Amino acid sequence: MRTGAQDIVHTDTDDRSYNARITVKSLVRGSEEDMRGARVDEELKGMVPHYLTFEVTNTARKEMPAAYMVDSDFALNRTDWARGEEVYVSGGKPGGGDLPCADTAPKTLAPGDSYTTCVTYALPKGVGVLSLTHNADGFLDEGGAVATWPVEGGVKAASAGLTEPGDIVRVRWDGGEDGVLELPATLTSVRRGKAADLANLDLDLNENERRGVPYYVSVTYTNTGPKDLYTNQADRVRLLTEGGRQIPGKTPFVPDTGIPGCPSDWVARMIPPGDSVTECSIHLVTDESDKPFAVGFAEAGRSGLATWRAPLR
């Protein structure tokens, strides 16, 4: 992992914000044996622990209550596009001094003070880490400020499992009363736009998103079922970045966006059996240093994503 310090904003459970600095020290892959010998939930045994050590410094002029919750804004992003699960390992001596990783964060942190602690994430065997991210607003991928610590080789490992653009993937589509349907889907295009494109669209954007770079993702679906199908799946599409973000799309409900290559004339349409529809969603990249490289579809009733390599234009 690329270690080092980054300035962040910690948001507590009462939506109060505190300036802080996080210095990532290391990410160490442990052994399955560590999980067998510790008191952890049964379903976690057999998974591989990863130990993240980091320092938190309160750079604000006020005391930080619940300072031990800074890690709740972390996401350890796996190379299969799921999230690493933070686990709490108990046992050993008081204070956990004999454990591979002990959470020793204090309850409060005075201005200028620091603490160093370690948290454990469990990953399935054979799955690597793409990056560690800290989300300033406490919500993953919702357009807030994000600090990223990438892992060497993570993008290459995540790319290995991608389907090529234009290839057909059968995705699990939420058919509402008809249940989950498996429909052929194809990534049609990914285009980079500019903020001016969105000036006349009624989109719910926060401050970071208004300054961001829009990308237009078009996916074509075919109705192979026996009944008409309502087109309402664009909100399941994610733009995937090298930093590990999964940026959901925003869909304008207008007759036509006026954006070349991003049609919205599919809104409120029923697709007859045998017909196809192309849906376009708008994704805002708010970090200039982060680059999109894939597109995912969050499948109904299944964790993880169906993914394509992004043909950026």
Side-chain angles (χ1 to χ4, degrees), residues 256-276:
D256 190 0
T257 62
I259 300 173
C262 189
S264 59
D265 58 353
W266 53 266
V267 171
R269 281 180 55 196
M270 299 297 290
I271 306 304
D275 279 10
S276 297

Side-chain angles (χ1 to χ4, degrees), residues 31-47 49 51 87-92 98-101 120:
S31 164
E32 291 177 61
E33 296 298 325
D34 297 345
M35 302 294 279
R36 292 195 185 102
R39 291 201 292 269
V40 295
D41 293 339
E42 205 57 41
E43 62 267 21
L44 296 175
K45 294 184 178 180
M47 300 185 78
Y51 306 123
V87 299
Y88 299 91
V89 180
S90 60
D98 58 336
L99 294 175
C101 181
T120 302

Side-chain angles (χ1 to χ4, degrees), residues 236-254:
R236 290 186 172 272
V237 177
R238 308 285 185 266
L239 184 66
L240 310 178
T241 73
E242 293 181 355
R245 297 191 67 194
Q246 301 180 20
I247 303 176
K250 296 179 181 292
T251 306
F253 285 86
V254 294

Side-chain angles (χ1 to χ4, degrees), residues 133-306:
T133 50
H134 179 278
N135 301 269
D137 55 10
F139 296 97
L140 300 178
D141 312 310
E142 290 297 325
V146 177
T148 303
W149 293 265
V151 171
E152 184 178 354
V155 172
K156 182 178 180 180
S159 298
L162 299 176
T163 302
E164 292 302 317
D167 287 354
I168 296 174
V169 176
R170 296 188 67 85
V171 299
R172 292 170 59 86
W173 172 297
D174 183 2
E177 294 180 357
D178 296 325
V180 175
L181 310 173
E182 287 197 358
L183 301 184
T186 305
L187 175 63
T188 306
S189 64
V190 181
R191 293 180 171 89
R192 177 181 172 129
K194 52 187 182 296
D197 296 343
L198 312 182
N200 297 320
L201 295 181
D202 184 18
L203 293 177
D204 182 19
L205 305 180
N206 62 34
E207 185 177 344
N208 281 331
E209 289 170 328
R210 282 193 291 271
R211 295 196 300 261
V213 177
Y215 285 80
Y216 313 124
V217 177
S218 294
V219 180
T220 299
Y221 309 92
T222 301
N223 181 6
T224 56
K227 300 164 60 176
D228 287 355
L229 190 66
Y230 182 67
T231 57
N232 63 342
Q233 302 293 300
D235 62 347
R236 290 186 172 272
V237 177
R238 308 285 185 266
L239 184 66
L240 310 178
T241 73
E242 293 181 355
R245 297 191 67 194
Q246 301 180 20
I247 303 176
K250 296 179 181 292
T251 306
F253 285 86
V254 294
D256 190 0
T257 62
I259 300 173
C262 189
S264 59
D265 58 353
W266 53 266
V267 171
R269 281 180 55 196
M270 299 297 290
I271 306 304
D275 279 10
S276 297
V277 62
T278 298
E279 299 184 0
C280 178
S281 50
I282 300 171
H283 305 254
L284 280 301
V285 177
T286 57
D287 184 350
E288 294 181 358
S289 65
D290 205 1
K291 296 179 180 179
F293 78 105
V295 169
F297 182 93
E299 298 194 273
R302 179 182 293 169
S303 61
L305 303 171

